[in-house]
Amino acid sequence: MPQPEGAELDAVRERRTALRDAYLRPRQDRPATAGQGIHHAALICRDVESTIRFYQEVLGFPLVELVENRDYPGSSHFFFDVGNRNLLGFFDFPGHDHPDFRETIGGVQHIALSVSPEQFTLAKARFDAAGIEYLGPDRGVDDSLYVRDPNGVGIELYREKLGVFEGITLVTGGNTTD
């Protein structure tokens, strides 16, 4: 994917700085959020069983529900517990011809899921044992494991507390610890 260079890169960086200066308030000056958190993110899968096996057996997120989609007869709607009372949901749509994953506007680039240092180490071992390709600590990234699920969805296992990014607490309240 082509990246900006020279004057174009400088302009992109200046625009980001202007946006940051215009909209980002110091943490103590931010209003409380109107939300209670993400109930679930809903994604589309190609194959229900391979998706269940990946999330439950490889990533360690238990399947907590599997029902028929109320809006599409024959379609499954299922959920995984990804911690902190958050769910990751999937639909399949039998009979639909869905294109393969591609990174595009409005698409999911990746979903970052907070994991403990112990779970991070276990996931890395499971990826290695299963021959699953990933980008991680021994491949240029210190606190993240990046992998694609069987549907092409990017998953980041982030060895960081919720509400914290690169050691800096971004949000407070709820179940986030400072």
Side-chain angles (χ1 to χ4, degrees), residues 47-162:
D47 178 76
V48 174
E49 185 173 4
S50 66
T51 301
I52 290 171
R53 293 188 66 179
F54 180 80
Y55 282 90
Q56 185 162 266
E57 296 172 15
V58 176
L59 296 184
F61 301 128
L63 180 71
V64 295
E65 183 59 281
L66 173 59
V67 297
E68 185 169 77
N69 177 358
R70 64 180 176 221
D71 302 323
Y72 187 96
S75 168
S76 296
H77 192 190
F78 53 104
F79 299 92
F80 299 95
D81 178 351
V82 295
N84 205 42
R85 300 175 55 170
N86 292 287
L87 301 169
L88 185 59
F90 284 88
F91 292 99
D92 71 334
F93 291 102
H96 280 234
D97 184 28
H98 294 286
D100 287 337
F101 168 82
R102 68 181 195 138
E103 210 167 79
T104 187
I105 301 299
V108 173
Q109 203 278 334
H110 73 272
I111 298 172
L113 300 167
S114 175
V115 294
S116 70
E118 297 79 18
Q119 288 301 320
F120 186 90
T121 300
L122 287 170
K124 184 178 176 303
R126 285 192 300 266
F127 294 164
D128 289 338
I132 296 172
E133 290 186 32
Y134 63 93
L135 176 66
D138 53 347
R139 297 175 182 158
V141 182
D142 289 334
D143 292 315
S144 297
L145 293 171
Y146 293 94
V147 65
R148 293 236 176 249
D149 82 355
N151 311 294
V153 175
I155 299 295
E156 174 186 6
L157 298 181
Y158 191 29
R159 186 173 46 193
E160 182 66 271
K161 293 179 183 176
L162 288 174

